[in-house]
Amino acid sequence: MPSSLGIYIENNLIKYAKVVKEKDSIKVEAFNVVFYENNLSDVLNKVISETYSFKTPICINVSNELYNYYDVFAMLNKNDIKKSIDIEFEMLCNEKNYNRNSLETRYVLMNNKEDNEKLKTLHIAVNKTDINKKTQAFGNVRVSSMTPISTSITNLVDVNPKENIAIINIEDETKITTIVDGQISRVDTIEYGMGQILDNINRTENSMQKSYDVCKNITIYTQETQALQSDENEHLEDVMPTLYKIATESKKIIDSSLANLSRVYITGLGTAINNIDLYFQEYMVSVKCEILKPYFVESSSVKISVKDYIEVNSAIALAMNGIGFENKELNFMSGKALSGGNLDLKVLTSNLFAGGLTGPLDIVEKMLIRLTAVALMGTAVYIGFSMSTMKQIEAKTDEINSAISVARGEVSKIDSEYSTISGRTSSYTSLINSVNNLTDSSDDMTQARIVPVKAVPNLLERIMFVIPQKVQITSIDNTQGTHITIQAQSEKYEQLGYFKAMLSSKGILTDVKSTSGMKDGGVVKVTIEGDLP
């Protein structure tokens, strides 16, 4: 029976849920919401101990992640796609003054309905310091998965491949995940959330736990039932202004979606407030709003209130990553040997011999201790050497990426040349007609001609049908024999690469070669050479 412990971590708050998979059924064995003041490590150790999860996969969330979206050509191979995305992100970091080396990134590719020749990229970046800070809080317990909650929350919904929905997750801040045709389309972040609401209530309650309990006792009355509103809702003035901002911002985001959404789910800490789904429904009259219930809850044999499940939805969604629901491309722990803490040789030695050595040591015991100490010291030296080597490798990798960025980072503008290239078509047609009108009346011209008369016009005509919209030809020369030299330029390196590939794949030229490209102002210039077939 595979099991997993999901832990959602925020400022002064964690939610945890242990999930077990039995054949086709999923059960939640233990769950809770815990507020803490100072030491996160102590709280985590207590949760792991109480849920008996020392050897259970632990899945947690990233924090303060950045979301970006890029388009890449579908015809590129995997390595070129990654290079293209890295260049785009490098340019964004330069524009926003981000430290690229301090950010860990992941991305997923999605279909692009607007342009079948391109793929849409959901790109996520997280500060490495935040990652290390969270994993170190677990001590020597290994974290197996760290993913954005905005993508993992979809684990709780049995999404129809043709369904368009949105999930509003109201935690410390609010994140809206839009799903179109069964796949994540985009993630939007609203800075307002339960963090502001709890802080407002905490000014009078002086306890985050009490403030949360207050929220669980607050009932929002809709416009039709405001007359029934009870005086017991004394903290409504601390709740409603923030909730209004969340609802109105959510409405703007959902209304701006190009897809026709059929349903909006509300989840997160905000569901502790009674009737919050009815409140959101008043703003989103054209789409049905409801509280997100894990799709497997109703079939579960455990008799637990659904509302209790809902308040730890984020932790359940993370735990499901550990039992086969994870998108491995978005796991910030993948490919990393993070232990979560430092190896304490003193503690390890004391644990090894705890209760086993009493009184004076004999020769065998002394030799055993010495051999153990030598082995541990050797291990420590090996780990230090390995870490140093890895740092050097990472430094060299950063230098290589920086060199690639300098060489190719300025070739991303593609939209401004469409009308210019379209206008060039008439020039190419005129050139073809002029060449076709040449006569063979001059013997000297006939003797000097290197290739057949029709070869060059045919070449230009074939080029006209394959040249990308963003590529401009500045000259075509027949230097000797059947050898052709083409001077071309574009703002996009991949556009020139695509043009070269089409010359070869369509049989327009043989033995096609090109220079690596030279930056001149805002364009890249290359020389393409080949022979007429």
Side-chain angles (χ1 to χ4, degrees):
M1 280 192 314
S3 62
S4 174
L5 178 64
I7 303 180
Y8 178 79
I9 305 173
E10 281 187 353
N11 296 325
N12 302 321
L13 164 72
I14 68 169
K15 301 179 184 182
Y16 68 86
K18 188 170 185 178
V19 172
V20 178
K21 184 177 181 181
E22 297 179 357
K23 296 182 179 180
D24 294 331
S25 65
I26 300 175
K27 297 181 180 179
V28 181
E29 283 191 342
F31 60 91
N32 200 3
V33 178
V34 179
F35 290 88
Y36 64 94
E37 293 294 334
N38 296 315
N39 199 326
L40 174 61
S41 297
D42 292 343
V43 180
L44 293 174
N45 288 335
K46 183 178 180 180
V47 169
I48 294 170
S49 176
E50 290 180 351
T51 57
Y52 303 99
S53 301
F54 298 102
K55 297 183 179 180
T56 302
I58 296 177
C59 306
I60 65 175
N61 61 298
V62 296
S63 299
N64 305 314
E65 63 270 27
L66 302 174
Y67 295 90
N68 292 290
Y69 305 89
Y70 307 115
D71 288 336
V72 295
F73 284 100
M75 293 180 63
L76 297 177
N77 60 39
K78 184 177 180 180
N79 290 334
D80 288 338
I81 287 176
K82 183 179 184 305
K83 289 179 182 178
S84 178
I85 294 172
D86 287 343
I87 290 173
E88 294 280 3
F89 184 62
E90 186 80 29
M91 295 178 65
L92 176 68
C93 290
N94 292 336
E95 179 184 344
K96 300 290 186 180
N97 292 324
Y98 296 153
N99 182 358
R100 174 66 181 88
N101 294 328
S102 69
L103 298 173
E104 188 75 20
T105 62
R106 296 290 186 272
Y107 67 88
V108 289
L109 299 175
M110 304 172 292
N111 296 328
N112 191 335
K113 281 190 171 184
E114 289 76 23
D115 190 345
N116 293 330
E117 294 183 356
K118 295 181 180 179
L119 296 173
K120 189 176 180 181
T121 306
L122 171 61
H123 187 275
I124 305 173
V126 179
N127 193 295
K128 293 179 181 178
T129 302
D130 289 343
I131 295 176
N132 292 331
K133 184 178 180 180
K134 277 192 175 181
T135 54
Q136 288 173 2
F138 284 85
N140 292 327
V141 178
R142 181 177 177 273
V143 175
S144 62
S145 173
M146 178 183 284
T147 58
I149 188 58
S150 55
T151 57
S152 296
I153 199 68
T154 60
N155 291 340
L156 304 182
V157 185
D158 190 9
V159 182
N160 187 308
K162 296 183 179 180
E163 189 175 12
N164 303 331
I165 65 173
I167 302 175
I168 303 176
N169 193 15
I170 309 174
E171 297 288 4
D172 187 60
E173 60 182 6
T174 302
K175 287 185 169 61
I176 301 179
T177 305
T178 304
I179 301 173
V180 177
D181 291 339
Q183 70 173 5
I184 296 176
S185 174
R186 64 176 294 109
V187 175
D188 293 281
T189 301
I190 300 174
E191 62 178 338
Y192 309 108
M194 284 297 290
Q196 290 89 345
I197 292 176
L198 291 176
D199 286 342
N200 292 339
I201 299 175
N202 191 48
R203 293 191 182 100
T204 55
E205 298 295 334
N206 295 319
S207 168
M208 294 300 288
Q209 182 64 59
K210 289 182 179 179
S211 300
Y212 180 57
D213 292 337
V214 167
C215 288
K216 297 173 75 171
N217 291 321
I218 290 178
T219 299
I220 300 176
Y221 292 90
T222 61
Q223 293 180 357
E224 296 179 357
T225 60
Q226 284 182 353
L228 302 176
Q229 185 165 322
S230 171
D231 293 336
E232 295 178 0
N233 289 337
E234 57 178 325
H235 285 283
L236 273 179
E237 68 277 4
D238 296 323
V239 174
M240 297 310 298
T242 301
L243 208 57
Y244 170 77
K245 293 177 182 178
I246 298 172
T248 53
E249 289 295 321
S250 299
K251 182 179 185 301
K252 291 179 183 178
I253 292 171
I254 291 172
D255 288 345
S256 65
S257 175
L258 297 177
N260 185 20
L261 302 182
S262 61
R263 196 177 301 270
V264 171
Y265 291 102
I266 314 295
T267 185
L269 208 63
T271 57
I273 301 173
N274 298 300
N275 288 349
I276 191 171
D277 53 331
L278 301 180
Y279 180 75
F280 272 77
Q281 186 69 74
E282 289 189 336
Y283 289 89
M284 304 175 193
V285 294
S286 61
V287 60
K288 181 174 177 55
C289 297
E290 60 182 79
I291 300 296
L292 175 60
K293 302 175 184 176
Y295 70 91
F296 57 84
V297 168
E298 294 181 359
S299 61
S300 176
S301 60
V302 181
K303 296 182 179 179
I304 300 176
S305 170
V306 174
K307 186 174 178 60
D308 293 335
Y309 274 124
I310 292 171
E311 68 178 359
V312 294
N313 268 352
S314 294
I316 296 174
L318 292 170
M320 292 176 69
N321 286 331
I323 57 173
F325 290 80
E326 179 184 55
N327 186 335
K328 295 182 180 180
E329 294 177 335
L330 296 179
N331 182 3
F332 283 78
M333 289 288 99
S334 61
K336 296 183 177 299
L338 296 177
S339 63
N342 298 321
L343 182 63
D344 192 330
L345 299 181
K346 181 177 180 182
V347 173
L348 182 59
T349 305
S350 64
N351 290 341
L352 180 64
F353 296 106
L357 297 176
T358 57
L361 302 177
D362 57 25
I363 295 177
V364 175
E365 291 172 337
K366 290 179 180 179
M367 287 297 296
L368 181 60
I369 292 176
R370 289 172 182 172
L371 289 174
T372 302
V374 170
L376 292 175
M377 291 177 64
T379 301
V381 171
Y382 175 79
I383 292 174
F385 178 78
S386 299
M387 293 177 64
S388 176
T389 303
M390 288 301 298
K391 288 181 179 180
Q392 294 179 13
I393 292 173
E394 291 178 356
K396 293 298 181 183
T397 301
D398 291 337
E399 290 179 8
I400 293 172
N401 290 335
S402 178
I404 293 173
S405 166
V406 172
R408 301 174 59 189
E410 297 294 330
V411 297
S412 65
K413 298 179 181 179
I414 65 173
D415 294 328
S416 62
E417 292 296 327
Y418 178 77
S419 60
T420 302
I421 297 302
S422 297
R424 294 284 178 176
T425 302
S426 60
S427 299
Y428 296 145
T429 303
S430 177
L431 180 60
I432 292 171
N433 292 333
S434 298
V435 175
N436 283 332
N437 291 330
L438 291 176
T439 65
D440 299 332
S441 59
S442 174
D443 293 337
D444 293 337
M445 290 177 63
T446 301
Q447 294 175 358
R449 194 177 303 280
I450 299 175
V451 295
V453 175
K454 297 294 183 180
V456 173
N458 290 340
L459 172 64
L460 294 175
E461 187 172 1
R462 296 186 69 186
I463 287 175
M464 182 175 67
F465 288 103
V466 301
I467 186 170
Q469 296 175 348
K470 306 303 180 184
V471 173
Q472 179 182 359
I473 294 177
T474 57
S475 70
I476 299 179
D477 296 321
N478 173 215
T479 56
Q480 61 181 1
T482 60
H483 194 71
I484 300 297
T485 301
I486 300 174
Q487 303 291 337
Q489 64 183 29
S490 175
E491 290 185 351
K492 269 289 186 177
Y493 178 86
E494 52 264 37
Q495 289 284 336
L496 295 170
Y498 178 81
F499 179 44
K500 174 194 169 187
M502 292 301 293
L503 290 175
S504 178
S505 63
K506 296 297 183 179
I508 299 174
L509 295 176
T510 62
D511 194 21
V512 180
K513 300 178 182 178
S514 71
T515 60
S516 60
M518 181 178 65
K519 188 74 173 183
D520 184 6
V523 299
V524 177
K525 296 183 177 180
V526 299
T527 300
I528 302 173
E529 297 182 282
D531 297 315
L532 291 172

